Amino acid sequence: MASDPIVRLVGVSKRYHRGAETVRVLEDLDLEIDRGEFVALMGPSGSGKSTLLNLIGGLDRPSKGAAVVAGRRLDRLSDRELARWRARHIGFVFQMYNLLPALSAERNVELPLLLTGLDRAQRRRRVRTALAIVGLVHRRRHRPNELSGGEQQRVGVARAIVSDPDLLLCDEPTGDLDRKSGDEILALLEELNRRFGKTIVMVTHDPHASARAHRTVYLYKGQIVDRIPA
Amino acid sequence: MKRQWINWPAQVAALTRFAFWSLPRRKGSVAVTVVGIAGVVAVFVGTFSIAEGFRQVLQKSGAPDRAVVMRSGADTELTSFLRREETRIIADAPGVRRRRGRPLCSAELFVIVNLPKRKTGMDVTVPLRGVHSEAFWVHQGVRLVAGRRFVPGRNEIIVGRGALAVCRGLELGSQVKLGRVRWRVVGVFEADGGVEESEIWTDARLLQSVYQRGTTYQSVQVQLESAEAFDRFQAALERDPRLNVKVLRQTDYYADQSRVVTRLVTGLGGLIAGLMALGAMFGAVNTMYAAVAARRRELATLRALGFSGGPLIVSVVIESVAIALAGGVLGGAVAYAGFDGLQTATMNWQSFSQVAFAFRVTPSILARGLACATLVGLAGGLWPAIRAARVPVAAALREL
């Protein structure tokens, strides 16, 4: 029996109001992503990729339509419920890593676990496992400014997977890295998908990165299209 | 994985910890706020320590088993007037303690003299009290610390330690002109820090003569048999048709005496401290806005990871209060080191005379100073905290 898709967006629109002007970012969009899929979101700047990722990750709500992710109607949750839901189901990987500069790598990775009832020893074990997966156990005591960009992003990935979320949302995870470091991160994401069955949605501008995904969803002017017009 | 999700307080604790870890990166703006709030608290504590020091001096001067008798309608000794016959009736009233058969009643004359202030040379008013030997029994705290008592009938004075500290020309052995007469200082006394230490004493009869007061006095200080004897004593005097007097327990009299000055000092000081607190509050608001702006990326990331807005507000406010409290502790310490025990004098507006006293920084004043700092921190942190929590996470992440 096929399982329900982990992401199901039905007739989703997103509009922003800028003074009297209404900006239509996403327009009547339908999308399904199955568990275990590795999906790349591509499109030109302003096409709505990041907005779509935010809707899937519960960082934003649709203006219209239904967003069902990991079994919950996100458009019906309060801010507090959304925060709790995010902590439970979503792992974020940001383009600029978004690590807390005052914390060591292991403390950064530990952050999502502070929202769980795990005791310190359990948290330590999980942090070590996550850092081992990204190959950074030996750099665990270093602060972000003592790590290279690639290493910082690997810490970001470790933080995203440490609480064992259902869905990894990556917003241009290689956008700030050189090709070699970017390839290492892509290889890591691939491994997480293949070996641990993580569902991954990755926003990217880079065809080289999207080639690693099972499927690429193209966005153009707020709508899903078969290919980006030339 | 089965997970239990932690509650609000634990989120607050974690967010507060991160805020404190990031403090070293913001040490400049934090230091400015700490110093600003320290200034507010130092002024606050300094002001109240003046009022407290003044109040303590007058409080020490009173005892519940002593009474002050003045002309009915007089608020202070200065405006009172009692004939010698009246002082004798008072001495014979029930409830007065006796020593070797003699009532412990001290009929006293009270005049104001001008003397140059030691620090500025400007004239200040000092009480010159005319007393009889009974005064040394009734004012029990009064003890000579140098020299001897004045001899009745001679132009001799003894001076309180506070008056000596405040005024020039009162050194032991020196001569000083008060009114039209030159007086020799023959003794220096203390009074357990009481208001008498700000006075000059001499023989009452001589003072009556020099100031042409006939045989009148201004007050009678009475040592009662006990504190409970006061009501009996008061009732007897107020019932007596030969007298037109008011009887006050000494503690009430001095509490009343300190009221104007303490209200003036705390009122003015409170106003100054209040205005400074307002300035410091804006400083705290700025610091916390800057803190929130500097941590915008962190806060947005933490909220994306699942931390809620409510705990974020509380953690920012806790940080603000902690910074304010650091300022409060610094200000309190500076005020304690700089003011506590500092000797000064001020005008007692009810007796129109100088009262020497020391600033008193008490634990209660320090606690009030810290409470003031806490309020500044709360008010300063609340709006930036609410603003930080209200920014939509997606928007905050986009602006990074």
Side-chain angles (χ1 to χ4, degrees), chain A residues 16 51 54 59-60 80 83-84 86-88 92 94 96-103 107 111-112 114-118 123 126 159 162-165, chain B residues 1-8 10-11 14 17-18 21-22 25 295 297-298 300-309 392-395 397-398 400:
Chain A
Y16 292 108
T51 302
N54 288 340
L59 296 177
D60 210 346
R80 197 173 165 188
R84 186 167 279 211
R86 281 197 301 272
R88 193 184 293 244
F92 287 100
F94 303 96
M96 301 302 294
Y97 332 128
N98 290 24
L99 302 177
L100 269 61
L103 308 189
R107 291 274 199 174
L111 285 174
L114 295 174
L115 293 165
T116 69
L118 297 176
R123 294 203 303 266
R126 285 185 157 275
R159 181 180 65 189
V162 74
S163 58
D164 193 22
Chain B
M1 178 176 64
K2 185 169 169 59
R3 277 175 272 183
Q4 284 183 317
W5 297 87
I6 65 164
N7 52 12
W8 241 63
Q11 284 196 46
R17 220 163 47 225
F18 304 149
W21 283 338
S22 73
R25 287 187 292 132
R295 297 178 61 219
R297 176 194 291 257
E298 277 180 36
T301 305
L302 288 165
R303 289 178 61 201
L305 295 181
F307 287 87
S308 312
V393 186
L397 286 170
R398 233 188 344 259
L400 295 173

